[in-house]
Amino acid sequence: MKIVHFSDPHGGGPAEDWMAYFDKRWVGVFNYTFRRKFRHDLKKLANAVEYILDTRPDAAVCTGDLTSAGQPGEFAKVLKILEPLKNSDIPLIYTPGNHDCYVRRPKCVAAMHAAVAELSQGKYTFHDLPRRLEIGGAELLVINTSAPSNLLCSWGFLRAKEREFIVNNCTGNHDRPRILITHYPMTEEYPVLRMRHRLFGQKQVLELMKNGALDLVLCGHVHKPYLKIDGDGRGECCAGSVSSNGSMVEIDCDTGNRKFTYRTIEL
């Protein structure tokens, strides 16, 4: 089984209405205007789509942060680039990031919900998450860990519903790979230093990873890609930001032995 994993394109733009200056969107707009637009190139996302269509993996996984401030125009910009992939027969799995769930403004929430429905190719909606999928001989557990947080933080939360879902789907012996798809990493080496950006509630998941009940976590959020894996390739894979690093990860999975190998795809 082959999976192509990309994340965090961070399409951005100006404030789309005057209310943006009275909620958290002004932080995302400010960040994009003075920093992200000089670091993130959506042409690299277009190159990623072209590569996926050419190589035809068993699945393509996007672990969130399509946008910078969760605005409808930002979603529209990125969805247009992803449209050829969305309209292909290659299974596409997307879970929103914290920037996609940036604020509670109804039109922003509606745009995020529409993005989930479109990119899932009808397999699930936002309200269906968490969701278990079987693709290419593997079990994919798709969860949402993102929600609006306060002005200065980018917290994620693994709530009781998601924890129960993961535990229930990781019980007993398994003869096929179990892969968790989430925006936030489960592992965190610097929980104090990264307090503003961390996930809460993942202790049980870390135990499942440790005892082998969960084989692999695919995530984003951290813009520099990394692998935290054992000798069989089991552990956690962060794709980084496709538009900033100009790269994504190609994962080959030996479904019979639950072993993984990785290759960085430069865009």
Side-chain angles (χ1 to χ4, degrees):
M1 178 186 183
K2 187 185 296 293
I3 298 172
V4 175
H5 175 208
F6 63 97
S7 196
D8 292 67
H10 281 290
E16 296 180 12
D17 61 74
W18 65 271
M19 288 296 293
Y21 297 102
F22 294 89
D23 60 33
K24 192 178 179 179
R25 280 179 290 168
W26 74 263
V27 177
V29 169
F30 183 91
N31 197 348
Y32 175 79
T33 301
F34 294 100
R35 188 168 68 97
R36 289 196 196 280
K37 76 175 182 180
F38 302 108
R39 298 183 181 184
H40 295 267
D41 182 0
L42 289 180
K43 292 179 182 178
K44 296 172 182 176
L45 178 62
N47 292 342
V49 170
E50 184 177 352
Y51 178 88
I52 294 168
L53 292 174
D54 286 345
T55 57
R56 301 192 61 78
D58 295 287
V61 173
C62 175
T63 47
D65 276 359
L66 300 182
T67 70
S68 290
Q71 300 184 105
E74 296 175 348
F75 278 107
K77 181 188 298 185
V78 178
L79 287 173
K80 184 176 181 180
I81 297 172
L82 294 174
E83 187 171 10
L85 179 56
K86 178 193 72 175
N87 292 337
S88 76
D89 59 357
I90 300 169
L92 176 59
I93 297 96
Y94 159 69
T95 188
N98 59 294
H99 283 266
D100 301 331
C101 301
Y102 213 52
V103 293
R104 294 182 173 85
R105 295 293 176 191
K107 69 176 185 179
C108 296
V109 174
M112 182 270 291
H113 286 190
V116 174
E118 287 184 37
L119 294 182
S120 73
Q121 301 161 314
K123 292 184 288 294
Y124 55 88
T125 68
F126 178 81
H127 295 294
D128 293 326
L129 297 176
R131 185 80 167 182
R132 178 182 178 272
L133 304 172
E134 293 186 13
I135 297 176
E139 299 176 16
L140 307 182
L141 307 179
V142 188
I143 64 170
N144 171 49
T145 47
S146 300
S149 60
N150 67 53
L151 193 65
L152 298 178
C153 294
S154 302
W155 289 334
F157 302 92
L158 198 58
R159 302 166 188 82
K161 175 183 175 181
E162 284 77 21
R163 293 197 301 269
E164 182 178 358
F165 166 82
I166 296 168
V167 170
N168 288 343
N169 280 280
C170 291
T171 56
N173 296 325
H174 62 295
D175 57 2
R176 63 177 68 186
R178 287 177 180 153
I179 303 172
L180 181 66
I181 297 173
T182 168
H183 178 65
Y184 283 85
M186 293 294 121
T187 62
E188 179 55 78
E189 295 178 352
Y190 309 103
V192 176
L193 292 177
R194 285 186 50 81
M195 180 59 69
R196 291 178 51 247
H197 305 280
R198 64 162 298 182
L199 175 70
F200 295 90
Q202 75 272 47
K203 183 177 180 180
Q204 286 177 291
V205 178
L206 294 173
E207 287 298 319
L208 293 170
M209 294 169 67
K210 184 178 180 180
N211 66 30
L214 181 62
D215 296 305
L216 180 62
V217 174
L218 300 182
C219 62
H221 191 56
V222 177
H223 288 183
K224 184 177 180 180
Y226 66 76
L227 288 172
K228 297 177 181 177
I229 55 175
D230 64 15
D232 291 324
R234 299 173 189 155
E236 184 167 81
C237 170
C238 176
S241 169
V242 63
S243 58
S244 177
N245 296 295
S247 66
M248 58 186 178
V249 183
E250 189 172 81
I251 305 164
D252 283 300
C253 174
D254 181 343
T255 55
N257 295 314
R258 296 175 22 238
K259 294 182 178 181
F260 304 86
T261 56
Y262 305 84
R263 186 163 72 98
T264 299
I265 306 301
E266 301 291 346
L267 301 168

